[in-house]
Amino acid sequence: MENQLSNEQLIAAAQQFGTPLYVYHAEKITEQYNKLSHAFSGHPTRFFYACKALTNINILKHLKSLGSSLDCVSINEVKLGLKAGFEPKEILFTPNCVAFDEIREAVDLGVNINIDSISMLEQFGNYYGDTYPICIRINPHIEAGGNYKISTGHIDSKFGISIHQMRHIERVVKTTKLHIQGLHMHTGSEIKDINVFLQALEVLFSVAEHFDRLEFLDLGSGFKVPYKEEDRETDISSLGQKLNIAIKEFEKEYGKPLEIWFEPGKYLVSECGYFVVNANVVKQTTATVFVGVNSGFNHLIRPMFYDSYHKIANISNPSGAERIYTVVGNICETDTFAWDRVLNEVRAEDLLVFYNAGAYGFEMSSNFNSRLKPAEVLFKDGTFTLIRKREVFEDLLRGQVV
Ligand SMILES: *Cc1c(COP(=O)(O)O)cnc(C)c1O
């Protein structure tokens, strides 16, 4: 397949840079970005890469070169974005439960700001009035389906201001003269059904009628990518067509053009990523055969944290007999990557790869058990380049007072 790294390429990268190793394919990110641009080309649309999925500055620069903007959830992500070369107006700051100081810092940096609570709206309005246009994060209470832990639209979610609090929002906006230039919603990850988007869009239209200075509607993200063979990607071209019709219709009513904004994270960077590890131990017990690898949930937490499925392959013995294994890490804690997985026979020192490891992989890694974080490598124009050094022992002591 196009823009996919072969076993041979991954083995070569492992030999050159060692394991555990995160490898990212730049052209795959480009492919995904182009698919999105194409699907939504019927209407002025901007994409803000949700960089919490993968913040390596080389990835940010690559996305910038494609024409992407950036969605940030912390002031440090904003600063990384600026450092990567994004203009302040190409950055959207969508924090949750931060102190007003952090919002003020974002104003000073000149980025777009998304406010997600009534108290913050009030504080912002009292301080800035109409001098700094903002966006409001609405919770439309539409279920994205999929995993509850990564769904943010449900009624008891901490994200956004409830659609049921519209009166309150309006009161604050009126009394403090806030300039509302955008409305935002993000219903969570893994939307399988595009009707969820369209329903949420209708909700957002009904909210939009309360504000007359809007310039954009931000529909967040949730574009799904396939993790298992039978999984489907969100049908974005069909979404693009339907969205186009709906927004054109609404613009007539609203009397003004509105841009559509999206904040894809996983969709842009999940499939570009490969996590390569070595098998350390193959251990037969009375229950199963364990493969213990030189990594753990300290490097890839998604299986333990969200019950996520990552396809795994034995790339150094691809024609070995198929057997069933439980793949575990080396952390002193339950640390299972996969139960009862069919793999080509695994021998100690074989190289295994986890696919779809670009999003929320390295980014959620830690030093638990005083283990070192992996290196990151970018494959672009046919060559591998180290974009983050493997940690060394001294990194564990950095910042400690000894
Ligand atoms: C995490 C997040 C995203 C990206 O979600 P994905 O599922 O990775 O596409 C977009 N917007 C906001 C506000 C987020 O917090």
Side-chain angles (χ1 to χ4, degrees), residues 115-126 161 168 172:
I115 301 280
D116 121 310
S117 75
I118 295 214
S119 61
M120 191 58 74
L121 204 59
E122 235 163 356
Q123 242 177 315
F124 195 96
N126 289 331
I161 306 177
H168 199 158
V172 173

Side-chain angles (χ1 to χ4, degrees), residues 56-62 64 70 78-86:
N56 189 296
I57 193 157
N58 299 277
I59 301 292
L60 303 188
K61 285 179 180 167
H62 181 64
K64 163 83 184 145
L70 205 65
V78 170
K79 290 177 187 171
L80 278 173
L82 292 169
K83 196 146 187 108
F86 288 89

Side-chain angles (χ1 to χ4, degrees), residues 50 52-53 71 73 94 137 184 186 188-190 220-223 263-267 360:
K52 73 172 189 284
D71 183 57
V73 292
T94 306
R137 179 169 188 170
H184 165 277
H186 171 64
S189 223
E190 308 219 334
S221 176
F223 298 116
E263 303 162 353
K266 186 181 280 185
Y267 188 85
Y360 311 107

Side-chain angles (χ1 to χ4, degrees), residues 250-359:
F250 181 71
E251 277 180 334
K252 272 190 232 152
E253 236 174 88
Y254 191 69
K256 224 170 78 143
L258 289 168
E259 280 184 2
I260 292 289
W261 291 12
F262 281 115
E263 303 162 353
K266 186 181 280 185
Y267 188 85
L268 291 173
V269 297
S270 176
E271 291 164 290
C272 84
Y274 303 78
F275 184 45
V276 187
V277 300
N278 268 105
N280 278 342
V281 175
V282 180
K283 180 172 177 177
Q284 170 92 54
T285 69
T286 47
T288 184
V289 184
F290 287 105
V291 176
V293 302
N294 65 345
S295 178
F297 71 70
N298 54 323
H299 295 158
L300 180 64
I301 203 173
R302 298 186 74 257
M304 287 303 298
F305 197 36
Y306 305 119
D307 290 329
S308 306
Y309 179 99
H310 282 266
K311 189 178 141 197
I312 305 173
N314 181 353
I315 52 175
S316 52
N317 191 21
S319 49
E322 290 190 340
R323 298 190 198 286
I324 294 175
Y325 297 97
T326 296
V327 183
V328 295
N330 56 11
I331 290 299
C332 290
E333 212 7 306
T334 304
D335 182 17
T336 309
F337 287 116
W339 285 104
D340 295 341
R341 200 58 81 78
V342 177
L343 295 174
N344 298 109
E345 183 177 4
V346 182
R347 308 152 303 182
E349 292 176 28
D350 269 342
L351 284 169
L352 305 190
V353 60
F354 294 82
Y355 294 96
N356 253 308

Side-chain angles (χ1 to χ4, degrees), residues 59-124:
I59 301 292
L60 303 188
K61 285 179 180 167
H62 181 64
L63 276 145
K64 163 83 184 145
S65 78
L66 299 176
S68 179
S69 298
L70 205 65
D71 183 57
C72 300
V73 292
S74 74
I75 197 73
N76 292 328
E77 284 187 357
V78 170
K79 290 177 187 171
L80 278 173
L82 292 169
K83 196 146 187 108
F86 288 89
E87 297 296 327
K89 287 298 159 209
E90 293 171 335
I91 295 178
L92 173 62
F93 182 39
T94 306
N96 174 251
C97 296
V98 296
F100 190 50
D101 283 352
E102 195 167 323
I103 303 273
R104 277 176 35 203
E105 207 177 336
V107 171
D108 292 343
L109 293 172
V111 301
N112 297 294
I113 296 174
N114 202 348
I115 301 280
D116 121 310
S117 75
I118 295 214
S119 61
M120 191 58 74
L121 204 59
E122 235 163 356
Q123 242 177 315
F124 195 96

Side-chain angles (χ1 to χ4, degrees), residues 101-172:
D101 283 352
E102 195 167 323
I103 303 273
R104 277 176 35 203
E105 207 177 336
V107 171
D108 292 343
L109 293 172
V111 301
N112 297 294
I113 296 174
N114 202 348
I115 301 280
D116 121 310
S117 75
I118 295 214
S119 61
M120 191 58 74
L121 204 59
E122 235 163 356
Q123 242 177 315
F124 195 96
N126 289 331
Y127 199 88
Y128 293 105
D130 66 351
T131 62
Y132 201 91
I134 50 160
C135 175
I136 300 180
R137 179 169 188 170
I138 302 287
N139 187 338
H141 303 307
I142 285 177
E143 286 294 333
N147 191 325
Y148 195 77
K149 266 197 195 165
I150 51 178
S151 163
T152 58
H154 49 85
I155 195 86
D156 52 0
S157 163
K158 69 166 183 164
F159 296 101
I161 306 177
S162 168
I163 178 84
H164 305 307
Q165 294 173 300
M166 265 316 293
R167 286 243 174 95
H168 199 158
I169 298 175
E170 276 187 286
R171 204 157 55 233
V172 173

